[in-house]
Amino acid sequence: MASHDLTTGASSGLSIETKSIHAGEPRPRPAGAVVMPIYQSSTYEYTGATDYHDVKYIRLNNNPNQLALNAKIAAIENAEAALVAASGMAAISTALLTVLSSGDHLVALDCLYGGTHGFVTKDLPSFGITHTLVNGNSAEAWQAALRPNTKAFYVETLTNPLLQMADLKGIVEFARAHKLVTLIDNTFASPVNFRPAERGFDITLESCTKYLNGHNDIVAGAAAGRADLIEAMKRRLDHLGGTLDPHACFLLHRGLKTLAVRVWHQNESALRIAEFLHKHAAVSKVNYPGLAEHPQHARAAELFHVNLPAQRQRNLPPYQGGAQGGGFGGMISFELHGGLPAAEQFLSRTRLATVAVSLGGVETLVVRPAAAVHSNLSPQERAKTGIADGLIRLSVGLENTDDLLADFEQALAGRAHR
Ligand SMILES: *Cc1c(COP(=O)(O)O)cnc(C)c1O
């Protein structure tokens, strides 16, 4: 394999949009190709590997397309190493099965992505791995959950669909003090807004199906973090088989090159839409970490490197924030005064937003989580988590913001002053 020139993160001094294009690209360029070609070969001439995991075979996560992506994602995340996988869930399940063994105990946030919640609560017990779900803002709860066999702490950057943010700095300190491995699902923020490795998290997980690919057309995942843990994950993934196919690698590679400019636009557009919804008479509640009313607004601004005074004055260059600057992300959720019927009317009236699950792509998507993403919970469980039946989740795409605002205005029309 050719060497990678521009791989490593902070030391390279390059901005994220530059790294997303140049990091991890093989040098010399294969046959001079400016764009990384697809290596559609399941096996490679034997070169004397003595370790099974070093044999060049498509499942063993060492195809040139996989290796280039690993280097690029490590650079983007400012992490020591990275590993792509066949889906976000392949990355998450492989990470947990790498860090945890039979007899171990996991502490995790009490509001997890549905697939992860199912894996932790239904699958891990059958491997002899127990768990305690905790409030992300209660150090007392973390302490009370601790057992002699606790090995890891699992969190998400922003919760789905309420966009709450746990005390991430406190959790890293707590985990360090108790020698726990920290894992964080950073899908909602993306590495443009938050790079957990810079804040001491051991393993960052991304569903690349969402922002990293960004075009709603593949399934892929990635883990980034400590080199020893990523290498151990590679060996487990070699056996579990959740390897990313070279064709999907190519599409993810292409999508990644525009990650930063996409997310910067989505940050700015989502902030304007959240402010519009917040002021709209038909809207009763908006969850968006960029609003001053959000309970963890200051925490999110700090961790996401948002220059708040500049943002308030709209005094920012076209793509705000500068080299390391971020925003509050492209995900919003909100409720209407008319509850469930009003929400259904909004979903049926919007023309630019498609009603569909998933997020992070160029198309704006809306969904009613109680009907889709969280339909596996009972009404009582949903009530406990604060997910109202009429709650709408919005993934802001790359359409013109004014076009989206006009569409939402007409979809909300007639619902004012209720
Ligand atoms: C979509 C998603 C996942 C799972 O990713 P897949 O690529 O669908 O396997 C995990 N976590 C979060 C927060 C997600 O949004």
Side-chain angles (χ1 to χ4, degrees):
M1 185 69 203
S3 67
H4 301 279
D5 270 351
L6 293 158
T7 49
T8 50
S11 56
S12 73
L14 295 171
S15 295
I16 189 164
E17 71 272 36
T18 308
K19 289 195 272 188
S20 71
I21 292 162
H22 291 291
E25 299 294 321
R27 294 290 184 272
R29 300 176 196 277
V34 170
V35 170
M36 179 79 184
I38 306 175
Y39 283 81
Q40 198 63 34
S41 181
S42 60
T43 187
Y44 291 81
E45 279 186 321
Y46 181 69
T47 52
T50 51
D51 184 335
Y52 171 78
H53 297 279
D54 295 335
V55 172
K56 298 252 182 290
Y57 174 65
I58 194 166
R59 178 175 31 81
L60 299 178
N61 297 295
N62 51 27
N63 160 293
N65 293 108
Q66 296 155 350
L67 293 177
L69 274 178
N70 292 348
K72 193 183 288 293
I73 292 171
I76 289 172
E77 297 273 1
N78 262 347
E80 290 172 13
L83 176 69
V84 282
S87 67
M89 282 311 301
I92 291 166
S93 57
T94 303
L96 287 169
L97 290 174
T98 300
V99 168
L100 301 167
S101 307
S102 177
D104 288 346
H105 173 252
L106 171 73
V107 175
L109 287 194
D110 55 9
C111 182
L112 292 174
Y113 172 74
T116 307
H117 184 265
F119 184 72
V120 167
T121 60
K122 299 204 169 71
D123 297 317
L124 285 184
S126 69
F127 294 102
I129 298 164
T130 53
H131 61 272
T132 305
L133 302 182
V134 296
N135 180 312
N137 286 312
S138 167
E140 296 76 42
W142 315 337
Q143 189 66 43
L146 214 54
R147 299 187 199 163
N149 58 340
T150 305
K151 288 286 156 60
F153 203 137
Y154 186 100
V155 303
E156 297 179 357
T157 308
L158 292 168
T159 64
N160 175 28
L162 296 175
L163 288 316
Q164 301 293 300
M165 193 183 216
D167 178 7
L168 300 178
K169 277 165 59 174
I171 286 171
V172 167
E173 275 168 35
F174 175 85
R176 285 227 170 116
H178 299 283
K179 298 196 165 35
L180 311 180
V181 175
T182 43
L183 303 99
I184 182 165
D185 180 337
N186 192 48
T187 301
F188 271 43
S190 93
V192 178
N193 294 328
F194 187 50
R195 292 168 296 278
E198 294 173 354
R199 297 287 182 164
F201 281 94
D202 296 311
I203 299 180
T204 301
L205 298 153
E206 307 274 359
S207 167
C208 304
T209 314
K210 317 293 169 53
Y211 288 103
L212 272 70
N213 178 60
H215 291 73
N216 288 326
D217 54 9
I218 61 163
V219 59
R226 263 170 52 189
D228 58 331
L229 293 173
I230 297 298
E231 175 59 22
M233 262 190 77
K234 177 236 180 292
R235 289 171 170 250
R236 193 128 293 186
L237 190 64
D238 286 353
H239 292 157
L240 292 172
T243 302
L244 192 63
D245 176 82
H247 266 107
C249 283
F250 172 80
L251 287 171
L252 174 55
H253 198 127
R254 181 160 83 166
L256 270 174
K257 291 183 188 179
T258 56
L259 171 69
V261 289
R262 281 188 282 107
V263 172
W264 283 330
H265 180 94
Q266 284 161 316
N267 286 338
E268 208 162 287
S269 199
L271 179 64
R272 279 187 61 201
I273 292 169
E275 286 171 344
F276 159 84
L277 292 169
H278 180 66
K279 286 190 206 121
H280 201 286
V283 178
S284 60
K285 185 161 200 278
V286 183
N287 304 302
Y288 185 68
L291 294 178
E293 291 74 16
H294 187 283
Q296 292 101 34
H297 176 60
R299 177 185 290 167
E302 186 203 332
L303 292 181
F304 293 173
H305 300 280
V306 183
N307 182 339
L308 278 181
Q311 186 180 72
R312 286 212 184 90
Q313 291 161 32
R314 292 288 191 271
N315 181 16
L316 293 168
Y319 291 118
Q320 76 219 47
Q324 301 300 324
F328 296 103
M331 298 298 297
I332 303 170
S333 63
F334 60 99
E335 291 175 47
L336 303 179
H337 281 300
L340 179 57
E344 289 191 323
Q345 194 179 76
F346 175 84
L347 294 184
S348 70
R349 280 189 183 179
T350 167
R351 298 190 192 112
L352 290 178
T354 304
V355 181
V357 298
S358 202
L359 59 109
V362 300
E363 292 88 6
T364 293
L365 302 180
V366 279
V367 74
R368 197 162 60 76
V373 199
H374 292 83
S375 52
N376 56 337
L377 300 183
S378 68
Q380 290 82 353
E381 283 177 306
R382 279 202 299 273
K384 226 178 86 192
T385 58
I387 303 167
D389 280 348
L391 184 79
I392 297 167
R393 189 187 80 182
L394 170 64
S395 169
V396 178
L398 289 188
E399 299 90 345
N400 179 283
T401 313
D402 292 327
D403 290 342
L404 288 173
L405 291 174
D407 181 46
F408 296 161
E409 181 64 60
Q410 67 79 25
L412 291 168
R415 301 224 65 91
H417 314 300
R418 294 208 166 212

